[in-house]
Amino acid sequence: MPIILRESFELSDDDEVVIHMGAGVHADVVCAALRNYHDYAGLAGRPGAFTMSVFAAIGGVSKDDILRALPHHRFGVATYAALRDLELWPTTITGTAIPERIMAVHFDIVLDDGAVTVPAGRRIPDLTDTELSELERLLRPAVAAVLPLFQPREEK
């Protein structure tokens, strides 16, 4: 599942950004951020990144197009203006079942991890339960700061 950092950003303040994956289940978002950390190795000069996946309704792709392409039943929407203070990367994740035109409007919110690091030379699947629990604990505030921007949660 290689991830490509696109060069163009293309978002304006009124653009809608859609979060899926339960849109508000904190534990699921933290687990996904941990699970995918190493997939971001090398992007923006980082060893990895804790992220949240979102899609923007831009470039001829509507919110409904995004929702139809994703299997999740819940979602939330925010404007880019509400997300402007967050670190947002225009990313394309290859090798997924998501149609290319939808993946072309994929972005990742990089969680403010407060300098949380994975121990040098270690991979998340190899961490002890104690180390993993500590990473989860440290990431919860970042997730808790972002998810309310996508309220209210809605059903498809």
Side-chain angles (χ1 to χ4, degrees):
M1 180 172 92
I3 299 172
I4 299 164
L5 187 58
R6 297 188 308 273
E7 291 185 24
S8 61
F9 193 73
E10 305 172 358
L11 290 177
S12 62
D13 283 350
D14 294 332
D15 289 330
E16 290 184 311
V17 178
V18 179
I19 189 170
H20 55 97
M21 225 174 72
V25 181
H26 291 160
D28 289 351
V29 175
V30 169
C31 285
L34 288 167
R35 181 178 60 248
N36 299 324
Y37 174 83
H38 297 288
D39 294 335
Y40 294 85
L43 285 167
R46 294 181 179 210
F50 299 108
T51 65
M52 294 172 60
S53 181
V54 296
F55 294 83
I58 59 172
V61 176
S62 70
K63 177 176 83 172
D64 289 336
D65 293 334
I66 294 165
L67 295 176
R68 277 192 296 275
L70 301 174
H72 312 289
H73 299 287
R74 298 185 83 171
F75 68 96
V77 178
T79 63
Y80 174 62
L83 307 175
R84 184 172 283 288
D85 292 337
L86 302 175
E87 187 173 359
L88 199 62
W89 289 350
T91 53
T92 299
I93 302 172
T94 61
T96 72
I98 297 171
E100 284 184 32
R101 74 183 282 270
I102 305 301
M103 190 49 70
V105 297
H106 181 267
F107 290 79
D108 277 298
I109 296 171
V110 180
L111 296 171
D112 179 6
D113 58 22
V116 172
T117 58
V118 175
R122 305 279 302 282
R123 297 196 48 85
I124 291 198
D126 301 328
L127 297 179
T128 66
D129 289 345
T130 301
E131 291 169 323
L132 194 55
S133 292
E134 180 63 8
L135 278 178
E136 289 172 354
R137 184 187 70 75
L138 293 169
L139 287 174
R140 280 188 206 116
V143 171
V146 173
L147 285 179
L149 302 173
F150 290 92
Q151 296 293 334
R153 291 181 295 177
E154 300 179 51
E155 296 284 334
K156 278 201 218 180

